[in-house]
Amino acid sequence: MKAKKILQRAGMLGLSVTALINAVCTYIFFQAFGRKKERSFRLHSKKSSSLQEKKYDAWLSSRKTWLSHQPFEEVFLNAYDGLRLYGRLYSPQDPQASEKDCAQSSSSRKSSKEPATILLCIHGYHSDGINDFAIFTPFYKKKNLTFCLVDDRAHGRSDGHYIGFSFHDRYDCLTWANYLANRFGPDCRIFLHGLSMGAATVLSCSNSDHLPSQVKGIISDAAFSSGWDQVAHVMRVRLHIPVFPMLLFYDKICRAIGGYSLKYIRPVDCVRHSRVPILFIHGDADNFVPTSMAYKLYNACSGPKQLLIVPGAAHIMSYITDPKAYQRAFTSFIKKCIHNSPHKGTESGAK
């Protein structure tokens, strides 16, 4: 009789603990992956100075002001599951140029038959296209690039209640890439530029059969190598909760509400069979997405690749920390990809 009571109490205790863990994981999911007000999401390391943070804020403010004066076209697309996606398309045309200058520029471009080079920019966690990419846009324009700043599902002006964490987003990215390929034609050159979660997204597209041949390369800035490992790292280092068994319960919540398992978010597997060259960028002071993940991704990639590790840079702070090194790597990578890419082909020999 005593044994029976002990077993009953143990069973009730087990059910209570399970219910508590489920409740905690559900709360974390809504806090972490539920829709929130967008912001530029960066997590500074203990090594990053307040001066560096102030510099970033000043850059972001000034470049958002600059970008607000640039003409753009609003684009709406339907995602594979019916959600409406939003993006802004900016051309390199100088809005201050006169009609005569514009005509001469257009005529010159037609005579040289130079195809358009387009950047598809995929932002990171709890941000949007403008907040994450405004700091890059003057550089984009200086390089005469067309760029498309999109809002991921559950961010900005795109539909959705829950963050896709690169699982659903990879299909959205392919939708955008195919839209740009169809719009700008078979001769255009498209590059995918992703930050943080957006970098994991573009890497997850690298091996897709639906990637248009116009995509010539990928720039991945601060990507995580695995969704499972990334959430485990956040639980262990930032939330200070036990990874086991919390992550198992959390993954069940992701499946039930978000529609995906963290186990299936594995950019590291995708880059093993990438169809395009990849430039990996990461800060060595990144304590949100460990720098070790950049090396893991780079080593796993069997195709053409480059690696830039920026000393002293915290999460998605590589560009502000060393803009010259970033721009050199970025420009060199794009030139190599364009130079070595066969006309209208799907393979590239950039090294």
Side-chain angles (χ1 to χ4, degrees):
M1 197 69 176
K2 276 187 176 182
K4 185 176 181 181
K5 286 185 177 181
I6 292 173
L7 287 175
Q8 286 177 342
R9 289 176 181 176
M12 290 177 65
L13 179 62
L15 289 173
S16 298
V17 171
T18 299
L20 177 61
I21 294 176
N22 265 318
V24 171
C25 288
T26 301
Y27 174 79
I28 294 174
F29 177 85
F30 282 112
Q31 289 297 309
F33 288 170
R35 186 173 195 129
K36 293 182 181 296
K37 184 178 180 181
E38 285 68 37
R39 56 196 169 95
S40 182
F41 189 86
R42 63 194 190 282
L43 290 167
H44 303 289
S45 72
K46 295 178 181 179
K47 297 180 182 178
S48 64
S49 65
S50 59
L51 183 63
Q52 184 186 46
E53 295 177 20
K54 289 178 180 179
K55 182 181 177 182
Y56 184 96
D57 291 335
W59 270 43
L60 181 60
S61 177
S62 65
R63 280 152 176 74
K64 286 175 74 173
T65 299
W66 178 87
L67 188 60
S68 69
H69 293 93
Q70 307 306 310
F72 65 90
E73 176 188 347
E74 291 187 316
V75 181
F76 294 91
L77 300 181
N78 290 322
Y80 74 97
D81 56 357
L83 294 182
R84 190 175 75 155
L85 307 174
Y86 174 79
R88 294 185 174 205
L89 184 63
Y90 295 81
S91 75
Q93 179 63 57
D94 186 349
Q96 304 299 325
S98 65
E99 292 184 8
K100 182 179 179 181
D101 292 334
C102 290
Q104 289 176 346
S105 176
S106 177
S107 175
S108 173
R109 183 169 176 175
K110 286 180 180 178
S111 64
S112 65
K113 295 183 179 180
E114 181 181 352
T117 301
I118 306 149
L119 290 177
L120 174 55
C121 304
I122 309 297
H123 66 79
Y125 177 73
H126 282 314
S127 189
D128 60 27
I130 292 177
N131 270 312
D132 267 5
F133 284 96
I135 62 169
F136 296 96
T137 53
F139 170 65
Y140 290 163
K141 186 173 181 183
K142 183 180 178 182
K143 292 298 180 180
N144 205 42
L145 302 171
T146 296
F147 52 95
C148 185
L149 309 184
V150 306
D151 290 348
D152 285 350
R153 58 178 54 217
H155 294 82
R157 293 180 59 185
S158 290
D159 290 346
H161 298 294
Y162 307 111
I163 291 175
F165 206 52
S166 84
F167 182 85
H168 296 300
D169 304 319
R170 59 180 170 170
Y171 301 118
D172 298 340
C173 181
L174 291 170
T175 296
W176 281 107
N178 279 282
Y179 163 78
L180 293 172
N182 291 330
R183 173 162 178 168
F184 289 92
D187 294 328
C188 74
R189 293 84 62 97
I190 300 173
F191 290 85
L192 312 182
H193 189 185
L195 298 182
S196 190
M197 185 181 75
T201 298
V202 296
L203 292 181
S204 296
C205 296
S206 64
N207 66 334
S208 173
D209 291 336
H210 299 288
L211 193 70
S213 62
Q214 291 93 325
V215 174
K216 305 303 180 185
I218 290 174
I219 299 100
S220 165
D221 185 340
F224 54 77
S225 56
S226 157
W228 182 274
D229 292 344
Q230 178 58 30
V231 174
H233 173 77
V234 171
M235 284 185 170
R236 182 171 52 252
V237 176
R238 294 194 164 271
L239 300 181
H240 305 291
I241 59 178
V243 174
F244 179 83
M246 297 296 286
L247 189 52
L248 293 174
F249 283 87
Y250 188 80
D251 190 55
K252 289 181 179 180
I253 301 299
C254 287
R255 293 186 186 213
I257 303 176
Y260 54 86
S261 170
L262 297 172
K263 294 178 181 179
Y264 299 139
I265 302 174
R266 292 188 55 81
V268 68
D269 291 339
C270 297
V271 301
R272 296 184 199 280
H273 307 286
S274 176
R275 299 173 59 217
V276 294
I278 302 174
L279 168 59
F280 297 95
I281 301 173
H282 217 105
D284 77 349
D286 191 335
N287 61 357
F288 184 62
V289 177
T291 311
S292 60
M293 289 193 175
Y295 291 106
K296 186 178 294 185
L297 287 163
Y298 179 78
N299 291 331
C301 183
S302 59
K305 56 189 176 181
Q306 291 179 214
L307 176 65
L308 173 65
I309 300 296
V310 179
H315 189 57
I316 67 167
M317 293 282 282
S318 292
Y319 187 73
I320 189 70
T321 303
D322 194 344
K324 290 184 178 180
Y326 200 115
Q327 290 174 8
R328 281 196 302 268
F330 187 101
T331 302
S332 171
F333 176 74
I334 287 182
K335 284 183 177 179
K336 286 180 180 179
C337 291
I338 291 175
H339 176 74
N340 293 320
S341 176
H343 182 63
K344 299 182 184 179
T346 59
E347 299 179 359
S348 179
K351 297 181 180 179

